[in-house]
Amino acid sequence: MGTRAGGRRTGPKCIAIVGPFASGKTTLLEAILARTGAIPRQNPVSSGNTVSDHSPEARAHGMSVEATFATTDFMGEQITFVDCPGSIEFAFEAEPVLAACDLAVVVAEADEKKIPALQLIMRKLDDLAIPRILFLNKVDKAVAGVRETLKMLQPASTVPLLLRQIPVRKDGIVIGSIDLALERAYIYREYAESQVAEIPNDDKARELEARFSMLETLADHDDHLMEQLLEEIEPPKDAIFDDLSADLRAGAVTPVLIGTAEKGNGVLRLLKAIRHDAPDVEATRMRLGAPDGQTVVQVMKTIHTAHGGKLSVSRVLSGQLADAAELFLSNGDTAKVSGIYRMLGKDQIKQASAKAGDTVALGKLDNVKTGQTLSSAKGGIRPLVTLEPPQPVFAFALRPKERKDEVKMSAAIQRLAEEDPSLSLRHNQDSAETVLSGHGEMHLRVVRERLEGKNQIPIEGHAPAVPYRETIRKPAQQRGRHKKQSGGHGQFGDVVIEIKPLPRGSGFQFSDTITGGVVPKTYIQSVETGIRDYLKTGPLGFPVVDVAVNLSDGSYHAVDSSDMAFQMAAKLAMKEGMAACSPVLLEPIMKVEIVTPSDATSKIIALIPQRRGQILGYDARPDWPGWDVVEATMPQAEIGDLIIELRSATAGVASYKATFDHMAELTGRLADEAMNANGKAA
């Protein structure tokens, strides 16, 4: 009997269901919940009535837009499944979830176009050291054989995909599977437990070949098994199961099971594999480096419910948790639990306590955020998870249609950002816009729909303003005189300034060459203040940069001169002088780094010049087989909807990072359009 795995791990488990968009994750969760009796029947995704379709946005778009938690019982053990969105735009939902899970079930299908998306998911599991099982879905529709499919999918995985089942076919139709470890056939029955059967004679040779291949892979990590194979000794089944469990938990292999979630086929075998092979919360606690001997809770998601208030869906990594318990954050703040709930989609069932391994929703932890670690130790412990959202790739400026909703909108966005930490909100001082940023057009569309639907706030949105600047091409000298007499003290300020261009990126420089006190020192600062105030909006309607101004001459009046008078004189001089300096518009140019599957690189390179971009080069993405990195410079004005075109060209998986590079002159029609959009005629 094998001892590498140390036996089956009992206790509550938390399993993430991940996979490319439309691979069947939600369908699989429905099948699991129906098979375990958590729901009365399996609802098709098309019905819009699945456990994961509890938001109107998910139903409207036919896709998961947030992580859904569902706890069920199987063979006397509690398992929480988390259906994670498949679209790259909502991928960050899975980050805090995966960190606290014991195992991931990766749902995939025989679709070559989805391999890059599968690779992104597998790499994330690698980064987090999450063990995984691959559920090869839709085998009833697959044209290629299972082993051929695995060869196609293998480049997406850095560890061997270990085929554990092969299909049984009749008249070209998949009617069941053969478990290579048990050496037993299972004939599918729709929405019911498969029927155990003997391996058909026609499949015995194929089964022996596939089984030997599985054992060879396992033997790479078990010298005793290798000796048995070399000596043609049949290894005992319990030793094979031990190796399967040990290698799965160590992340050395990814076992592959097959089925059709839509019909409930292969679901029971998957559940049994999870029950027998998955690691437990103790392994997850050790992987995260959480201390033992105290209560430690990791927050996986924040939900704001209509009637129950804020819920923090959390994994208890160690210890016990009772209602009304006081927990400590890493910064020393306290949080008091007000309600413990078992989750089933949008429904919650209250319970008195939770133990290590449980995944529960905790009520009204108002100062707690997704990804934070709570502990019973006074003062808290260090955070176990660091959330680093990827750089936003899409943005829009928004405002409520009615001004009275401004405060309401701000509070609603704050709640949405708590639920989705990948959202970014900022106020643009130049344009006075509130800009919301995220990870794609659909991502922000869902946010807008939630503001308008769930929060009843009609919204107006548009592309954010581009931070254009203006500068000058030639120098000029100008006098500015502000003189006003209105009874009593008047106003008098008189300055002569020299304006000249500076090299790009220099900003603004002020100097004075005043002699003889023609402008008293007390007013020189006022002159600079007036000039700086003018530079906020130049003759073209934008902030002015890369300009030097020298105060060379002027005059004052002993009674009527003042700070304000010299500020006004400086503004007048700048207004008249700048027009003679050949002002020109500047636009920000960004350096863009695009990651794309290699088979789409030519498309990406072709679209860059269409957006006034310049290609700097491209190369293979380090340690990412089948991916390239394309580097280019591109005007910021062309980047706003770039991600839509990139995703369209790459089956939804390309992304980019953009950083400011330099400012460049913009003339002609595009400059006129920018100025007209800013309310300034050319």
Side-chain angles (χ1 to χ4, degrees):
M1 181 175 180
T3 57
R4 293 178 59 223
R8 184 172 70 83
R9 301 291 189 261
T10 59
K13 293 183 173 66
C14 186
I15 311 297
I17 301 177
V18 297
F21 172 68
S23 57
K25 299 177 297 299
T26 298
T27 302
L28 178 60
L29 177 60
E30 281 288 302
I32 287 170
L33 296 177
R35 183 56 51 85
T36 58
I39 57 176
R41 64 181 179 277
Q42 180 177 340
N43 294 302
V45 170
S46 58
S47 71
N49 195 34
T50 66
V51 168
S52 293
D53 290 333
H54 55 79
S55 73
E57 298 80 29
R59 291 192 293 272
H61 300 295
M63 62 188 295
S64 297
V65 297
E66 60 185 324
T68 301
F69 295 76
T71 300
T72 187
D73 295 297
F74 177 67
M75 296 181 69
E77 293 189 12
Q78 180 179 296
I79 307 176
T80 298
F81 290 92
V82 192
D83 179 13
C84 299
S87 167
I88 191 173
E89 299 194 20
F90 302 95
F92 190 74
E93 274 279 314
E95 295 247 347
V97 169
L98 287 169
C101 282
D102 304 320
L103 179 85
V105 173
V106 182
V107 184
E109 58 185 300
D111 186 345
E112 193 170 12
K113 293 179 182 177
K114 293 184 178 180
I115 291 177
L118 179 63
Q119 190 174 7
L120 288 174
I121 292 162
M122 292 294 211
R123 283 303 181 103
K124 178 53 64 178
L125 297 176
D126 285 346
D127 291 343
L128 298 172
I130 310 292
R132 72 217 66 159
I133 292 173
L134 191 144
F135 182 75
L136 186 58
N137 194 21
K138 308 178 186 178
V139 292
D140 59 330
K141 298 175 182 177
V143 176
V146 171
R147 281 184 283 182
E148 289 74 18
T149 299
L150 250 63
K151 289 178 183 177
M152 179 180 71
L153 299 179
Q154 182 61 64
S157 176
T158 57
V159 299
L161 298 178
L162 181 70
L163 188 61
R164 185 168 162 176
Q165 296 173 327
I166 60 173
V168 175
R169 288 185 169 87
K170 184 177 181 180
D171 300 327
I173 299 171
V174 176
I175 63 167
S177 67
I178 298 172
D179 189 300
L180 300 176
L182 284 170
E183 293 188 287
R184 190 180 297 163
Y186 295 87
I187 306 304
Y188 294 149
R189 294 187 294 181
E190 201 163 302
Y191 307 118
E193 185 175 341
S194 298
Q195 182 179 349
V196 180
E198 293 295 324
I199 297 175
N201 289 330
D202 293 344
D203 292 314
K204 284 185 176 178
R206 194 165 56 93
E207 185 271 336
L208 287 172
E209 182 184 352
R211 185 170 188 270
F212 186 78
S213 178
M214 177 188 76
L215 295 177
E216 277 189 315
T217 301
L218 293 175
D220 289 339
H221 309 282
D222 185 342
D223 292 340
H224 183 60
L225 177 59
M226 178 65 76
E227 292 174 7
Q228 289 176 318
L229 294 181
L230 291 173
E231 296 173 11
E232 298 184 359
I233 297 172
E234 177 63 25
K237 284 188 174 62
D238 57 0
I240 295 172
F241 279 112
D242 182 71
D243 277 336
L244 284 166
S245 298
D247 290 351
L248 165 68
R249 294 171 194 169
V253 299
T254 299
V256 178
L257 287 83
I258 65 174
T260 299
E262 188 177 21
K263 298 176 181 177
N265 298 151
V267 171
L268 185 60
R269 301 311 310 160
L270 173 64
L271 282 166
K272 288 188 174 180
I274 291 170
R275 181 175 182 269
H276 186 274
D277 298 335
D280 59 1
V281 70
E282 178 64 12
T284 302
R285 182 190 67 77
M286 294 176 65
R287 170 168 54 80
L288 291 174
D292 200 4
Q294 59 185 270
T295 300
V296 178
V297 176
Q298 183 64 34
V299 182
M300 305 165 82
K301 183 171 175 61
T302 301
I303 302 171
H304 287 275
T305 64
H307 305 294
K310 179 178 175 180
L311 294 176
S312 301
V313 186
S314 308
R315 184 88 193 278
V316 182
L317 296 176
S318 63
Q320 302 283 328
L321 187 63
D323 198 1
E326 186 177 62
L327 297 173
F328 295 86
L329 285 76
S330 57
N331 62 4
D333 289 350
T334 60
K336 188 174 182 179
V337 176
S338 181
I340 301 175
Y341 305 90
R342 174 169 166 154
M343 300 289 290
L344 186 62
K346 69 177 185 299
D347 299 322
Q348 300 102 38
I349 303 166
K350 191 165 186 179
Q351 56 190 57
S353 62
K355 61 182 180 300
D358 284 349
T359 304
V360 290
L362 306 178
K364 299 181 180 177
L365 301 181
D366 293 334
N367 59 334
V368 174
K369 298 178 181 179
T370 298
Q372 288 188 318
T373 305
L374 308 176
S375 169
S376 60
K378 287 190 176 181
I381 61 171
R382 66 171 182 81
L384 301 179
V385 175
T386 302
L387 293 181
E388 295 182 2
Q391 185 186 73
V393 294
F394 194 76
F396 68 71
L398 75 166
R399 66 182 177 208
K401 288 183 179 179
E402 298 185 30
R403 195 162 188 176
K404 66 181 178 63
D405 287 332
E406 285 183 352
V407 174
K408 186 179 176 183
M409 185 189 79
S410 178
I413 292 176
Q414 186 65 37
R415 289 193 298 271
L416 290 174
E418 274 196 274
E419 294 181 334
D420 181 0
S422 68
L423 284 176
S424 172
L425 186 71
R426 63 182 175 86
H427 183 73
N428 188 324
Q429 297 286 352
D430 288 344
S431 61
E433 293 175 330
T434 298
V435 180
L436 189 66
S437 303
H439 302 296
E441 187 268 342
M442 180 60 74
H443 185 204
L444 295 193
R445 185 192 301 181
V446 166
V447 173
R448 181 170 178 171
E449 289 170 357
R450 285 177 172 166
L451 286 171
E452 295 187 322
K454 182 178 179 181
N455 296 279
Q456 298 294 300
I457 306 171
I459 296 294
E460 292 179 337
H462 57 85
V466 176
Y468 292 107
R469 297 290 184 264
E470 57 181 274
T471 191
I472 56 175
R473 286 174 167 163
K474 63 182 185 181
Q477 180 173 298
Q478 183 66 44
R479 177 181 290 274
R481 175 175 289 184
H482 177 68
K483 183 177 181 180
K484 192 173 183 181
Q485 193 72 39
S486 57
H489 285 305
Q491 296 180 36
F492 182 85
D494 177 35
V495 298
V496 177
I497 58 173
E498 299 163 345
I499 310 170
K500 66 177 182 179
L502 290 175
R504 197 76 68 240
S506 300
F508 168 66
Q509 295 176 10
F510 175 78
S511 60
D512 77 272
T513 52
I514 295 297
T515 58
V518 293
V519 176
K521 287 185 178 180
T522 54
Y523 297 136
I524 291 176
Q525 180 64 48
S526 303
V527 173
E528 181 179 356
T529 299
I531 292 170
R532 287 185 180 275
D533 194 41
Y534 171 82
L535 292 177
K536 293 176 183 176
T537 308
L540 304 182
F542 298 92
V544 181
V545 296
D546 303 338
V547 168
V549 180
N550 179 61
L551 174 62
S552 60
D553 201 359
S555 61
Y556 75 103
H557 188 279
V559 175
D560 293 344
S561 289
S562 66
D563 288 335
M564 184 57 67
F566 272 96
Q567 286 185 38
M568 295 300 296
K571 289 181 183 179
L572 287 171
M574 287 296 294
K575 183 176 181 180
E576 295 174 11
M578 283 287 291
C581 292
S582 295
V584 63
L585 198 63
L586 296 175
E587 68 171 341
I589 305 298
M590 312 297 283
K591 185 174 182 181
V592 183
E593 185 180 273
I594 301 168
V595 290
T596 173
S598 301
D599 58 7
T601 300
S602 59
K603 295 179 186 177
I604 303 303
I605 288 174
L607 71 83
I608 289 172
Q610 297 170 14
R611 291 176 174 265
R612 298 191 289 130
Q614 292 188 331
I615 298 166
L616 301 177
Y618 70 95
D619 205 346
R621 188 179 184 185
D623 300 321
W624 279 74
W627 285 71
D628 288 334
V629 179
V630 180
E631 292 186 343
T633 56
M634 188 179 294
Q636 186 174 337
E638 301 289 344
I639 290 179
D641 61 352
L642 172 65
I643 194 63
I644 298 175
E645 198 166 0
L646 292 179
R647 298 258 166 88
S648 176
T650 60
V653 296
S655 195
Y656 74 86
K657 293 180 181 178
T659 53
F660 174 77
D661 194 72
H662 65 280
M663 301 295 286
E665 289 188 10
L666 180 65
T667 58
R669 177 182 59 83
L670 293 174
D672 292 342
E673 290 176 358
M675 288 184 285
N676 288 332
N678 195 47
K680 191 82 174 180

